[in-house]
Amino acid sequence: MIRNAKEFGAAVRRARKQRGLNQSALAARCGVNISFIVDLEAGKATIQLDKALTVAVELGFRFTDAPAPQFSPQVAEPEPEQDDELGHIPSF
């Protein structure tokens, strides 16, 4: 499982090399600059997600194992007391 940008970059590098691509060829196939591929493989955490996903899909990554988001049920706010003059102001 990939847990951070460094691990993702390492996985991209491995997949690229397994496919016999250099960084320039991968960049051209994905429509990005070579510097993007270099930064991505280095684990730079400020990478743009859309471009990173384009590279991952080009290299055959599958995202079917991503867990579904967990949502907790919303707790209803208590009704303001009748004699509360500030009850109309929402609480945060």
Side-chain angles (χ1 to χ4, degrees):
M1 180 183 339
I2 296 172
R3 292 181 182 88
N4 57 47
K6 287 231 182 259
E7 290 177 4
F8 183 72
V12 166
R13 177 176 283 128
R14 277 191 307 276
R16 175 182 58 77
K17 288 183 176 185
Q18 287 173 348
R19 286 161 181 73
L21 297 170
N22 62 29
Q23 290 174 325
S24 181
L26 179 58
R29 289 176 66 162
C30 296
V32 299
N33 293 324
I34 189 170
S35 62
F36 178 83
I37 300 298
V38 170
D39 289 346
L40 182 65
E41 290 185 357
K44 185 175 179 182
T46 59
I47 294 298
Q48 294 178 17
L49 181 58
D50 60 335
K51 290 181 181 180
L53 291 174
T54 298
V55 172
V57 169
E58 179 65 33
L59 291 173
F61 285 44
R62 296 180 61 201
F63 296 99
T64 57
D65 295 337
Q70 297 292 321
F71 295 101
S72 59
Q74 290 187 347
V75 177
E77 289 188 33
E79 292 293 322
E81 293 182 25
Q82 296 293 352
D83 62 346
D84 185 357
E85 293 178 20
L86 300 178
H88 65 282
I89 299 175
S91 59
F92 297 98

